[in-house]
């Protein structure tokens, strides 16, 4: 097995163990603690030492890790990589039990983010997230994490015999078409609090203790390396856990630098980042200010540090589609395994400009990896990502980048084995600067 394949297999393991942002952050925390990082509680006073390694979390679904630089914080600034822990999914609503015709017990769900809905059908699904329990402190409920490692649910398609036009014009109603079946029931079944009773049994707690939950569905099957030459990674949540994985690995492998190296894992990018744990919150700004206050003495230390900082917003890019190439720009058409992609948009949906693009391109050259560029077709609006949102809170130079992939927001996406390794190499080079 090549080094690139091993790194992608590590990615597949990480994604499978991270079916929700809560599990993703818990897994990152475990990796950081194993390497000697110290957890900082946001409610405590921070005493940061140069050269030491730290992390802090918010909502248990966002995390910031950093290695305090040995240089003057005002002069050396920060080297920041950002990614996100969330992906499009289906979330379970409160009191979700619905008994449908045929004695099926289905769950009432709500779509989160811009999922490709038809890819969620006819696949074994499971449940993950967090559950809140009664506590003695009303303001601090007990939190338990769940990952039901069992194929529990399925959303069935309607047979083609009953819908002859399904391959021509089928659309999916988010309320009526996306309800997953969890069981068959009889006339004596008591549906009230079924999901709470199920969770209580899983957690081994009285059902009366369960107050609420943040639960999402995920594909039960594990991802794989596929292709004639094992060149592709096929799994869900590549957007954007692949960038979390590459960034955290690069930080763990980095040596102490004169600049302060920072890895940020935000939640809620898929729904616009406008949450207390999203990129449009002051979470990162607060952390960087507290680092500066601890390491710098001058009143203007933070403002000077910002001018000497650089950020990489890492969220994946669209590879040219082999069957529908006309949906892409006629010139710039990124290819899988063609190297990291710099994302550019004239209307600033991406934060990249000529300066930040040049910086990232030089990083790729220094790391010895190829580099590509992406723009939308001029008549397709496209999406946005962390960089342009984050700069409303933190006005530093930043480039939006990612790896080329197909089927973004499908339940199972496709990316390149070499690309994942390439991005890690660039991130490692960045943390040396």
């Amino acid at each position: 097995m090549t080094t690139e394949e091993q790194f992608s297999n590590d990615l597949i393991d990480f994604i499978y163990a991270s079916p929700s942002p809560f599990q993703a952050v818990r897994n990152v925390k475990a990796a950081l603690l194993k390497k000697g990082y110290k957890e900082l509680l946001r409610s405590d006073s921070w005493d940061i030492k140069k050269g030491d390694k730290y992390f802090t979390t918010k909502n248990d679904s966002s995390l910031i890790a950093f290695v305090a630089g040995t240089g003057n914080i005002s002069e050396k600034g920060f080297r920041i990589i950002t990614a996100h822990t969330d992906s499009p999914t289906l979330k379970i609503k409160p009191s979700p039990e619905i008994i449908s015709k045929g004695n099926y017990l289905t769950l009432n769900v709500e779509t989160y983010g811009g999922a490709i809905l038809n890819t969620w059908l006819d696949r074994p699904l499971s449940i993950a997230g967090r559950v809140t329990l009664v506590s003695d402190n009303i303001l601090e409920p007990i939190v338990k994490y769940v990952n039901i490692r069992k194929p529990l649910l399925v959303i069935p398609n309607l047979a083609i015999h009953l819908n002859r036009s399904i391959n021509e014009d089928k659309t999916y109603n988010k309320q009526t078409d996306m309800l997953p079946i969890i069981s068959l029931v009889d006339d004596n079944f008591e549906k009230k609090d079924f999901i709470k009773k199920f969770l209580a049994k899983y957690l081994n707690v009285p059902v009366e203790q369960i107050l609420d939950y943040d639960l999402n569905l995920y594909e039960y099957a594990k991802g794989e390396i596929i292709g004639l030459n094992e060149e592709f990674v096929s799994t869900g949540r590549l957007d954007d856990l692949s960038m979390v994985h590459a960034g955290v690995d690069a930080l763990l492998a980095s040596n102490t630098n004169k600049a302060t190296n920072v890895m940020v894992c935000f939640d809620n990018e898929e729904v616009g980042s406008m949450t207390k744990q999203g990129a449009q919150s002051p979470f990162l700004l607060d952390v960087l200010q507290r680092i500066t206050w601890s390491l710098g003495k001058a009143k203007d230390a933070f403002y000077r540090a910002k001018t000497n900082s650089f950020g990489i917003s890492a969220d994946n890019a669209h590879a040219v589609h082999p069957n529908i190439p006309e949906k892409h720009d006629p010139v710039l058409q990124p290819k899988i395994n063609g190297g990291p992609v710099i994302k550019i948009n004239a209307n600033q949906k991406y934060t990249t400009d000529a300066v930040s693009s040049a910086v990232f391109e030089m990083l790729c050259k220094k790391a010895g990896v190829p580099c590509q560029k992406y723009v939308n077709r001029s008549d397709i609006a496209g999406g946005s990502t962390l960089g342009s949102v984050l700069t409303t809170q933190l006005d530093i130079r930043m480039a939006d980048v990612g790896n080329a992939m197909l089927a973004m927001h499908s339940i199972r996406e496709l990316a390149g084995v070499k690309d994942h390794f390439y991005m890690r190499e660039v991130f490692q080079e960045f943390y040396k600067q």
Side-chain angles (χ1 to χ4, degrees):
M1 183 181 293
T2 65
T3 303
E4 292 91 343
E5 289 170 359
Q6 182 58 59
F7 191 49
S8 284
N9 273 314
D10 290 344
L11 168 64
I12 290 169
D13 289 343
F14 171 68
I15 289 177
Y16 193 64
S18 306
S20 85
F22 306 111
Q23 278 79 24
V25 165
R26 282 166 63 84
N27 290 327
V28 171
K29 281 179 62 174
L32 294 168
L33 290 168
K34 188 176 180 180
K35 288 291 187 177
Y37 282 69
K38 305 168 189 174
E39 183 169 10
L40 299 171
L41 300 179
R42 291 181 300 109
S43 56
D44 290 348
S45 179
W46 292 2
D47 182 21
I48 296 168
K49 306 295 184 185
K50 289 186 176 183
D52 282 357
K53 302 177 287 188
Y54 306 91
F55 72 91
T56 190
T57 64
K58 194 168 188 179
N59 191 52
D60 299 325
S61 61
S62 292
L63 178 146
I64 298 175
F66 62 94
V67 181
T70 58
N72 185 306
I73 189 72
S74 301
E75 297 173 0
K76 299 302 179 182
F78 302 95
R79 305 293 177 265
I80 304 167
I81 297 172
T82 69
H84 63 89
T85 59
D86 64 317
S87 300
T89 186
L90 303 175
K91 294 209 167 191
I92 300 177
K93 294 181 179 181
S95 302
E97 302 87 358
I98 298 175
I99 297 179
S100 303
K101 294 289 186 181
N103 285 358
Y104 297 108
L105 176 62
T106 62
L107 297 184
N108 197 10
V109 296
E110 185 174 4
T111 55
Y112 173 90
I116 302 177
L117 295 179
N118 66 355
T119 65
W120 283 79
L121 276 63
D122 303 322
R123 295 175 185 263
L125 306 172
S126 195
I127 297 171
R130 68 178 176 184
V131 180
T132 52
L133 311 178
V134 173
S135 71
D136 293 333
N137 183 348
I138 289 178
L139 296 181
E140 297 291 342
I142 296 168
V143 178
K144 298 288 186 181
Y145 300 92
V146 299
N147 179 9
I148 314 298
R149 295 180 178 273
K150 178 181 178 180
L152 281 176
L153 312 104
V154 68
I155 307 169
N157 251 306
L158 182 65
I160 194 169
H161 313 79
L162 305 178
N163 184 5
R164 291 293 182 181
S165 63
I166 192 169
N167 291 321
E168 282 77 42
D169 58 5
K170 173 62 180 174
T171 59
Y172 292 88
N173 183 286
K174 294 178 181 180
Q175 180 59 62
T176 59
D177 290 333
M178 301 306 295
L179 302 182
I181 297 170
I182 190 169
S183 185
L184 284 169
V185 297
D186 58 30
D187 293 338
N188 298 319
F189 176 75
E190 176 56 58
K191 74 172 186 175
K192 180 177 171 56
D193 289 336
F194 164 81
I195 198 70
K196 287 188 175 182
K197 292 173 184 175
F198 174 82
L199 294 169
K201 183 177 179 180
Y202 177 85
L203 294 170
N204 194 27
V205 299
V207 67
E208 298 79 13
Q209 293 290 306
I210 294 181
L211 296 172
D212 213 334
Y213 48 75
D214 293 311
L215 297 175
N216 63 257
L217 307 189
Y218 70 94
E219 182 189 21
Y220 177 73
K222 190 175 182 180
E224 299 178 271
I225 291 179
I226 66 169
L228 181 64
N229 300 302
E230 290 80 41
E231 59 260 69
F232 301 116
V233 181
S234 171
T235 186
R237 302 185 298 284
L238 284 169
D239 176 18
D240 190 35
L241 289 184
S242 62
M243 296 296 100
V244 171
H245 180 260
V248 170
D249 191 87
L251 183 69
L252 292 175
S254 67
N255 296 318
T256 303
N257 192 12
K258 289 185 178 180
T260 295
N261 291 336
V262 184
M263 178 63 206
V264 188
C265 307
F266 284 118
D267 193 5
N268 301 131
E269 188 276 342
E270 298 293 358
V271 291
S273 297
M274 296 175 63
T275 64
K276 63 185 182 300
Q277 59 273 358
Q280 203 160 339
S281 76
F283 182 31
L284 177 57
L285 178 65
D286 290 350
V287 169
L288 298 184
Q289 286 180 328
R290 293 181 76 169
I291 294 170
T292 308
W293 293 336
S294 192
L295 297 179
K297 303 302 181 184
K299 290 183 178 180
D300 62 350
F302 176 65
Y303 304 103
R304 294 164 59 200
K306 285 197 299 180
T307 65
N308 293 310
S309 298
F310 193 86
I312 296 174
S313 164
D315 197 2
N316 285 310
H318 301 294
V320 61
H321 198 290
N323 302 333
I324 321 169
E326 63 272 14
K327 286 291 185 179
H328 299 265
D329 181 80
V331 178
L332 297 176
Q333 300 186 344
K335 301 174 180 64
I336 287 179
N337 287 329
V341 180
I342 301 170
K343 302 191 292 185
I344 301 165
N345 181 267
N347 295 303
Q348 293 297 289
K349 287 191 174 183
Y350 303 130
T351 193
T352 311
D353 57 22
V355 173
S356 60
S357 176
V359 170
F360 191 81
E361 196 165 345
M362 288 189 288
L363 283 171
C364 290
K365 185 175 182 180
K366 186 76 180 292
V369 304
C371 181
Q372 308 179 82
K373 291 183 179 179
Y374 172 82
V375 294
N376 293 316
R377 270 183 61 114
S378 297
D379 55 354
I380 295 178
S384 60
T385 184
L386 296 167
S388 56
V389 172
L390 184 58
T391 51
T392 64
Q393 291 287 330
L394 189 66
D395 52 334
I396 66 171
R397 296 175 301 155
M398 184 173 291
D400 271 309
V401 307
N403 280 333
M405 64 181 294
L406 294 170
M408 187 182 290
H409 290 195
S410 170
I411 198 171
R412 183 162 283 240
E413 300 164 324
L414 191 72
V417 168
K418 287 184 178 179
D419 280 337
H420 191 53
F421 183 78
Y422 286 154
M423 190 64 83
R424 196 260 309 260
E425 295 295 289
V426 178
F427 287 167
Q428 287 184 340
E429 187 60 45
F430 177 56
Y431 280 145
K432 297 175 185 177
Q433 303 306 309

